Amino acid sequence: AAAQAHGAWEDSSALLRAASGKAALVSKAASLDAPALRGTSTELTRQYLRLTADPDPSQVRPPKILPAALAAICRAWREGSATYVWVCDRLKAVRQDIVVQRLVSPLAVRAYEAHARIAAEVGDAGEFNQCQTQLIGLHASPLLAAQGEWFAQSRAEFIAYRLIYYCRSAEDADAEALIGELSDSDMAEP
């Protein structure tokens, strides 16, 4: 059990490093030796702020607040009461709260999915690619492997999006490599 827990910790830490985009930004608070940060903010939505120092827990929303934050942002987009710039900024803040707290969970998957779908809807290839890249790691995580049908459907959906992205951006070698990595069960997905 201890070895399994250590493996899960390494998996979570690897996702954190990948999600940060730059290893240099993974601070002491995000190191393997430090206890996981837990946010205390109850603010539903907040602006994204590029971290230049260790995150302040009072500025980070805890896991119990993040689902409501994600829902409020997505609702504002669906209802047309917010611009893409506002929505993108707030979704990046949700993603940041997920990363600094090392959350490898269905919430993390749903946050990256929501941002990727909205970015694709408006043609923001950069944000879409950032999100789908993180979804690759989340979908491969043993911590999330037993999530059931919604998770398998999410994985299949984003494999398809990744193939389309590779084809649209003329990344033929990446598209061919992805196709070569697909299992028989992946190929059977609608």
Side-chain angles (χ1 to χ4, degrees), residues 40-81:
T40 60
S41 174
T42 57
E43 186 177 9
L44 200 54
T45 64
R46 70 167 181 84
Q47 285 185 304
Y48 169 78
L49 300 170
R50 186 165 305 278
L51 292 177
T52 57
D54 288 346
D56 176 358
S58 70
Q59 300 298 311
V60 176
R61 292 161 293 188
K64 67 181 180 186
I65 298 291
L66 288 171
L70 181 60
I73 297 163
C74 291
R75 187 172 40 259
W77 176 252
R78 280 191 317 273
E79 293 172 354
S81 61

Side-chain angles (χ1 to χ4, degrees), residues 139 151-160 162-163 177-190:
H139 288 144
F151 188 75
Q153 289 173 348
S154 165
R155 184 175 174 279
E157 175 186 359
F158 279 89
I159 286 172
R162 192 161 63 248
L163 257 169
L178 177 59
I179 291 168
E181 293 170 6
L182 296 176
S183 68
D184 290 340
S185 64
D186 289 333
M187 297 298 278
E189 285 291 327

